[in-house]
Amino acid sequence: LMQQIVTINPRIIVLLGRVAARAAGMGNHKEGECVKADRVYFLAMHPAAAVRIKTNMPKIEKEFKMLGRCILLVGSEMCIRDSLLIDN
């Protein structure tokens, strides 16, 4: 996976769930955060959590709307100045 990330060099990586966040070294951040480190990471609840626990659905919907904002900011190169991003 790490070699694929190096090869593709994505501008943003979406980490779905706490396990993925910990594996990427982002375990100290909350879901719904857009974090600028060596690249931009967006931490989100794993979609399976919303399937299993229906009360999570509004939270995951909000997170994916925030992801859309994060993508727009990264695409417009304004992400460093925006308060949505948290420097690691």
Side-chain angles (χ1 to χ4, degrees), residues 43-55:
L43 288 66
M45 179 185 302
H46 196 286
V51 172
R52 283 192 324 262
I53 305 166
K54 299 298 183 200
T55 57

Side-chain angles (χ1 to χ4, degrees), residues 4 7 10 12 27 31 34 45-46 52 62 64 70 79:
Q4 290 173 340
T7 301
I12 185 169
E31 293 167 341
C34 198
M45 179 185 302
H46 196 286
R52 283 192 324 262
K62 181 180 176 185
F64 276 87
C70 186
C79 61

Side-chain angles (χ1 to χ4, degrees), residues 25-72:
M26 298 289 141
N28 58 329
H29 294 281
K30 298 184 302 185
E31 293 167 341
E33 287 185 349
C34 198
V35 180
K36 186 176 185 309
D38 58 326
R39 63 186 73 249
V40 176
Y41 295 89
F42 184 84
L43 288 66
M45 179 185 302
H46 196 286
V51 172
R52 283 192 324 262
I53 305 166
K54 299 298 183 200
T55 57
N56 282 336
M57 189 59 79
K59 182 178 178 188
I60 200 167
E61 288 173 349
K62 181 180 176 185
E63 287 176 358
F64 276 87
K65 286 179 184 175
M66 292 169 68
L67 171 59
R69 230 180 109 203
C70 186
I71 290 169
L72 290 173

